[in-house]
Every structure is written in C-alpha cells, then in structure tokens.
C-alpha cells in the first residue's frame, strides 16, 4: 500500500471510531499496523514487522529501563526527574529523593553529603554538632565520645589526639602524720605528666593500706598543667598492723608507685647521721655539715653542737631542725693552731660525732726563722740561721737584725748582727746567714747569703735567737713590735715564744720549723711536708719546731716552697 494512502487511513480510522462511540454500532477493534496507537496497543509504527521496536502485535519488543518512556528513561528510576529513581522526586536521583538532593535522606545532606541529616558532613569525621562528627573522638570539644587527653569538657581525652602519660610519682619515702590531711613531708608527694595536660586529667591513686588514702582515689591535673600535689589522709588506727603504705598512681597503661610512712601524732625524733663523718681541713677553712634525724619532728627541734677540743675551730652552739623536716645544715670553721678531735651533735641524751683534723698551713704573714743549728759536724762554731718568707711578696730585709741571748740572761740580748744591704727574700723562698765556722766546716754545700763571722756565738745546748727590724735594740722585750720572730731552745731557755724547745738535735742535725701543725719529723724530712716550706707559726716554739736528724740549710738560690 502506498505511503500516501496510509496517511489517509489514519484520519478515516479516527472518524470511524468517533462515530462508533456516538452510536450503537458494533465495537471497532484496534487495527495493528494502521499507524495509530489504539486501545490495547503500546505502539503502532504503521506496519506489522516483527523485527523492529514495535512487533506484529503492536507491543514494544524492548520495554526495558533506559528508554525515554519506559522505566529507566527520564521518567523512570535512575533517569529523569519525575519517576522513582529518576529526577528530583525519586529515590536515588535528584534533590528530593534519598541519595540525591538536599531534602531527602541520603542526599547531599545525607551520610557524607549535606548539612542537616545524620551522617552528613556534620556526622562522623565531618561537621560540628552531630554525634561522631569532628567534635567526636579525635576532634571537637563538647560531643560525647571525647575521652581523656582531647577536649576540654570531658574527663580525660580520647585516642587520636594529644596523648598524656605519667612521667613520675614521688618522691618515695615521705611521711604523713596520723589524724591529718594534707601533703606529705618533708617533700610533697607529686604526680607528674610527661607533657602539659591538654584538658582536665584525672589520675587514679590506690593505697596498699587503710592507714593512708587519697580522697576519691583521684588526683586532678588542671588543663595546661603538668603536675599536681597529692593530698593524703593518714590514720594509724585504720590498720594497726602497719605504719606504711604504698600508693600507686595509674593513668591509662602507665603506673608509678611511692611509699609513705605514717607517724604517730607525738612521735619523737632521734639523731640519725652527722655528715661528713670525717674531714681534714686547713686552718681557717670552712666545712659544711648536715645533721639528720630518723623522722621529721612535729615541732622545731634544737640539736646541741660542740668541738672536742674547742681549739679545733668554731661551730654554732645549736642548730634547729624545723618541724616536718629531716635535717639541718651548719658550718664549721677550722682554727689556726691545727690538731685532731671531733665534732659532737647531741639530742635528748643521744649523741653522734664526726672526726675532725685541722692542718695549720702557712698561716703566718711575716718572715720567720725557719731552721738553725747552734753547732754542727764542724764543731761548736759550725752555725747557721735560715730565714723563710711564707708570703706572696718579696721582703727586703736589708738592715734587719739577727740577735742571740743566752738561756738565762735577764738583761737583754748578748750580741747582734745587721744583715747587709741588698738582702731580699723572694716569695716563699729562703735566706741563709752563717758563721765563719760554717764556711770552713766540711759538708756544707749550700753557701750563706750573709756571714756574721764571730759576732754571734750560740750556746750548743740552750739559748735564744731572734729576728727584728733595723730599729730593734738588744734590750727590747719579746713583746716589742720591733721583734719579728723569736726561738728559745734548750731545757732552761727563759724567754721563748710560748714553750721552749726542750730537747736538742743530734750533732749533725738542726731545729726546723714545721710546714703545718700536723707535720712530723718523718713528713718534714722524707714525707709529704718536705717541700711545703716552713710557714707554721703558732707562737709556741715547742709546737712549731721539729728536730731534724740531718741539717738541710737553704739559701736564696734554693727552690721556692711550696
């Protein structure tokens, strides 16, 4: 049939249908292939071919989603706008359906999308006010789910933020007094974090005994702080079997422990230690001491101090240990004479002591007679007087006097020799004056710096020698300011400094001044003091000199000592 005729059939068929509807004519059945979609047909493409989109029964051969008028088209789910799964009103599509727009669940305001729906950008890891949002664990501030170490409003924080951990808990071995609540003593028990608390942190504290507890079992560390003092309550009656408790601090997986001893309300303290236990100091030197009690007293406690002998130096008569403290410090200052003894601390009839040795060094500030011999291997005239300058400056002794007096004379000195011009003693060095007999005697390899010839003739077993300024007269008393140094030797010397040197050296020996108060014959001849000079002067001849078995004169060319 030509296509033009088919076009004429379409309006004719429509007219027949209209006339049929208006009259009583028999029902006209649809004609498939006439190009008109009639009742019961889903399509009519003007033919009855079975291999196109409209088959020979006028039914579509591909009624599948994805076309334009079927499900899956613009009006179907997943396509257009008005069908389910399509546009703005259908689920999974536009703006109004679930998983699509702004107003349906699962839209841009749905999980991971919009703003107002649960699970949206305000949900887990996203917005602000929703549970599990960026105010949740590891994020914001006021939402539940923030644990220790994060936000500001929850006790502790949560993992995923700044982590806090215990650094220390102590010190251990502190004390608390029964019937009281407060910090331990003598140091406060403190819990400390490794870093500043980003929020309020609570550390759990448990006790091994009922004698000691922490209120609520918790200690609060404020935001921004790193430590807090632990307040404890002590009660010996709560556990009569013990007076000690171990407190354990716990934060997360971290634990630290410290012991605390609980004292009775009126528990008395006793002396425990005095340290150092042994000291050796030089004259005038200061040494610190610490006295310690076994437990801190409830009130200030006074400890008595004393030196035995008192000439060792000075210490305060008493030293107080403050209440709730264990120890007190004080200073000992060594005297000038030297010696050995002890420092004693006493409390309520109990005492402890420390050994004290004072070495009197070169404490004098003037030239001294350091060694002399009134006789020698060369005979009675084999004499010398050695001088030593213990100061740090050279001393010009030109014009100074060396004088001699017999052991028993009461009218003054018998002879005097004036040292020649140019006589200078360097710092910590020597000067040697000799007799004419010294110069001719055998074995004297150290020459004199001055020779008095026969002016002075010393007694071999007793007598006096002295050194003074140029103005010193032979009649001046030993107490005259013009007298610099005096030595009386022999059993009957009547005007020595302090006590005379009662004994005499062997023929080849001499009298030698000590280097320190504790110097001995051995230390001065072959020991530690042999090269330390001769500067010890306590104004007591018997205490200041030793008897050398073999003389050892030194002159201005000898090495300085020390």
């Amino acid at each position: 049939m030509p296509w033009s005729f088919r076009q004429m059939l379409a309006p004719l068929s429509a007219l027949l249908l209209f006339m049929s509807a208006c009259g009583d004519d028999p029902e006209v059945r649809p004609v498939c292939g006439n190009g008109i979609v009639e009742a019961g047909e889903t399509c009519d493409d003007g033919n009855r071919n079975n291999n196109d989109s409209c088959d020979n029964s006028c039914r579509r051969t591909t009624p599948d989603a994805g076309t334009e008028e079927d499900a899956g088209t613009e009006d179907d789910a997943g396509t257009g706008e008005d069908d389910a799964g399509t546009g703005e009103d259908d689920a999974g599509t536009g703006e109004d359906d679930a998983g699509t727009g702004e107003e349906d669940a699962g839209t841009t305001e749905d999980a991971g999308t919009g703003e107002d729906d649960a699970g949206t950008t305000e949900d887990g890891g996203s917005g602000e006010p929703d549970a599990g949002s960026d105010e949740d664990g590891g994020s914001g501030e006021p939402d539940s789910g923030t644990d220790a170490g994060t936000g500001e409003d929850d006790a502790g924080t949560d993992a995923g933020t700044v982590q806090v951990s215990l650094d220390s808990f102590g010190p251990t071995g502190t004390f608390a007094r029964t019937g009281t609540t407060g910090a331990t003593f003598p140091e406060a028990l403190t819990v400390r974090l490794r870093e500043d608390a980003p929020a309020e942190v609570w550390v759990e504290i448990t006790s091994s005994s009922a004698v000691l507890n922490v209120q609520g079992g918790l200690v609060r560390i404020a935001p921004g702080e790193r430590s807090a003092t632990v307040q404890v309550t002590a009660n010996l009656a709560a556990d009569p079997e013990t007076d000690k408790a171990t407190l354990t601090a716990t934060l997360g997986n971290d634990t630290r422990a410290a012991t605390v001893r609980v004292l009775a309300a009126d528990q008395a303290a006793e002396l425990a230690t005095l340290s150092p236990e042994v000291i050796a100091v030089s004259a005038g030197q200061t040494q610190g001491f610490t006295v310690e009690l076994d437990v801190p007293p409830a009130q200030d406690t006074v400890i008595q101090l004393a030196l035995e002998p008192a000439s060792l130096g000075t210490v305060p008569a008493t030293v107080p240990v403050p209440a709730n403290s264990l120890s007190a410090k004080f200073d000992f200052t060594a005297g000038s004479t030297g010696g050995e003894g002890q420092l004693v601390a006493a409390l309520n009839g109990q005492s402890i002591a420390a050994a004290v040795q004072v070495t009197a060094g070169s404490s004098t500030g003037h030239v001294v007679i350091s060694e002399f011999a009134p006789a020698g291997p060369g005979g009675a005239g084999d004499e010398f007087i050695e001088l030593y300058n213990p100061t740090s400056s050279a001393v010009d002794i030109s014009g100074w006097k060396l004088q001699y007096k017999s052991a028993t004379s009461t009218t003054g000195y018998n002879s005097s020799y004036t040292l020649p011009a140019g006589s200078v003693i360097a710092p910590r060095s020597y000067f040697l004056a000799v007799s004419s007999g010294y110069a001719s005697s055998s074995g004297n390899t150290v020459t004199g710096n001055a020779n008095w010839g026969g002016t002075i003739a010393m007694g071999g077993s007793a007598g006096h020698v002295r050194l003074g300024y140029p103005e010193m007269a032979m009649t001046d008393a030993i107490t005259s300011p013009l007298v610099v140094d005096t030595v009386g030797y022999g059993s009957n010397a009547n005007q020595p400094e302090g006590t005379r040197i009662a004994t005499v050296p062997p023929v080849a020996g001499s009298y030698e001044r000590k280097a320190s108060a504790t110097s001995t014959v051995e230390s001065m001849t072959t020991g530690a003091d042999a090269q330390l000079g001769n500067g010890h002067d306590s104004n007591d001849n018997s205490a200041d000199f030793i008897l050398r078995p073999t003389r050892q004169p030194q002159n201005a060319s000898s090495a300085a000592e020390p």
Side-chain angles (χ1 to χ4, degrees):
M1 178 182 299
W3 182 249
S4 59
F5 182 74
R6 291 179 184 173
Q7 289 177 318
M8 293 177 63
L9 275 177
L12 181 60
S13 298
L15 178 61
L16 290 173
L17 286 174
F18 176 78
M19 293 173 63
S20 174
C22 294
D24 296 329
D25 293 331
E27 180 181 357
V28 179
R29 299 182 62 86
V31 178
C32 179
N34 61 4
I36 301 173
V37 179
E38 301 171 301
E41 297 176 340
T42 61
C43 65
D44 193 331
D45 57 359
N47 65 63
R48 298 188 65 186
N49 293 332
N50 204 31
N51 295 319
D52 55 15
S53 61
C54 187
D55 65 12
N56 58 8
S57 61
C58 290
R59 295 286 189 274
R60 291 193 180 277
T61 59
T62 56
D64 195 12
T67 64
E68 295 183 356
E69 296 177 345
D70 196 7
T73 65
E74 293 182 357
D75 298 330
D76 198 308
T79 60
E81 298 180 353
D82 299 325
D83 192 32
T86 61
E88 297 178 351
D89 301 325
D90 192 38
T93 60
E95 298 179 351
D96 299 328
D97 193 23
T100 60
E102 297 178 353
E103 297 174 350
D104 195 342
T107 64
T108 54
E109 296 176 336
D110 198 351
T113 59
E115 296 178 354
D116 300 325
D117 192 75
T120 65
T121 54
E122 296 175 336
D123 199 345
S126 57
E128 296 178 354
D130 191 81
S133 65
D134 55 6
E135 295 176 338
D136 196 350
S139 56
E141 298 175 357
D143 186 39
S144 59
T146 57
D147 200 349
T150 56
E152 296 179 354
D153 299 326
D154 192 15
T157 57
D158 194 7
T161 63
V162 177
Q163 296 297 307
V164 290
S165 56
L166 283 179
D167 180 45
S168 63
F169 181 49
T172 192
T174 56
F175 298 84
R177 201 172 303 279
T178 190
T180 64
T181 296
T184 61
F185 52 84
E187 296 180 69
L189 188 62
T190 302
V191 60
R192 189 177 301 276
L193 303 178
R194 293 186 184 276
E195 52 280 306
D196 293 345
E200 184 179 64
V201 173
W202 293 88
V203 179
E204 180 183 5
I205 309 291
T206 58
S207 176
S208 65
S209 171
V211 298
L212 196 74
N213 65 77
V214 175
Q215 186 176 8
L218 295 170
V219 172
R220 177 183 178 271
I221 300 179
E225 297 296 325
R226 189 167 293 195
S227 63
T229 298
V230 180
Q231 303 293 314
V232 299
T233 298
N235 181 13
L236 282 175
D239 188 357
E241 299 299 321
T242 184
D243 65 351
K244 186 180 294 185
T246 298
L247 296 181
T248 301
T250 302
L251 179 62
N253 294 326
D254 291 335
T255 61
R256 301 287 188 276
T259 60
V260 179
R261 181 178 171 185
V262 179
L263 304 178
D266 57 351
Q267 188 160 340
E270 296 182 356
L271 290 171
T273 62
L274 178 61
S275 59
E277 296 180 351
V278 179
I279 65 165
V281 296
S282 300
Q285 183 178 348
T286 298
Q287 171 69 53
F289 277 88
T290 300
V291 61
E292 186 168 344
L293 304 178
D294 62 338
V295 297
Q299 56 189 3
D300 292 355
T301 299
V302 177
I303 298 173
Q304 307 294 320
L305 302 174
L307 288 169
E308 298 174 356
S311 61
L312 286 173
T314 58
V315 292
T318 61
V319 60
V321 177
N324 291 336
S325 298
L326 273 177
S327 62
K329 298 181 182 296
F330 62 92
D331 288 335
F332 158 75
T333 301
S336 60
T337 60
E340 297 181 358
Q342 61 182 0
L343 169 62
V344 180
L347 175 64
N348 298 329
Q350 176 200 10
S351 65
I352 53 177
V356 176
Q357 181 184 47
V358 177
T359 301
S362 182
S363 58
T364 185
H366 59 81
V367 176
V368 295
I369 298 170
S370 54
E371 186 178 353
F372 69 97
D382 188 5
E383 303 169 349
F384 71 86
I385 299 174
E386 174 195 277
L387 306 178
Y388 175 67
N389 174 14
T391 73
S392 58
S393 301
V395 178
D396 187 349
I397 58 173
S398 300
W400 287 31
K401 304 286 183 60
L402 282 174
Q403 294 180 344
Y404 171 78
K405 183 182 90 69
S406 66
T408 59
S409 174
T410 58
T411 59
Y413 275 71
N414 309 117
S415 57
S416 179
Y417 170 70
T418 301
L419 294 172
S423 299
V424 177
I425 311 179
R428 298 181 177 84
S429 296
Y430 296 90
F431 185 92
L432 185 63
V434 300
S435 69
S436 56
Y438 172 88
S440 62
S441 64
S442 61
N444 293 317
T445 58
V446 179
T447 59
N449 301 117
N451 192 313
W452 67 71
T455 302
I456 296 176
M458 291 186 284
S461 60
H464 302 80
V465 292
R466 74 179 183 181
L467 172 69
Y469 294 112
E471 299 80 10
M472 182 180 66
M474 289 191 292
T475 55
D476 285 338
I478 193 172
T479 56
S480 169
L482 298 175
V483 177
V484 176
D485 194 24
T486 300
V487 182
Y489 63 96
S491 61
N492 59 347
N494 61 5
Q495 290 184 346
E497 283 186 359
T499 305
R500 60 184 176 267
I501 307 171
T503 55
V504 296
V507 174
S510 64
Y511 299 93
E512 183 179 32
R513 186 178 292 274
K514 295 178 178 180
S516 70
T518 57
S519 297
T520 63
V521 173
E522 292 74 17
S523 71
M524 291 297 298
T525 55
T526 60
D529 296 329
Q531 305 298 321
L532 296 183
N534 305 95
H536 177 63
D537 186 6
S538 67
N539 295 322
D540 187 331
N541 293 158
S542 66
D544 294 344
F545 282 81
I546 61 157
L547 303 181
R548 284 188 65 94
T550 303
R551 59 171 61 184
Q552 189 188 44
Q554 293 164 280
N555 63 16
S557 298
S558 300
E561 296 180 2

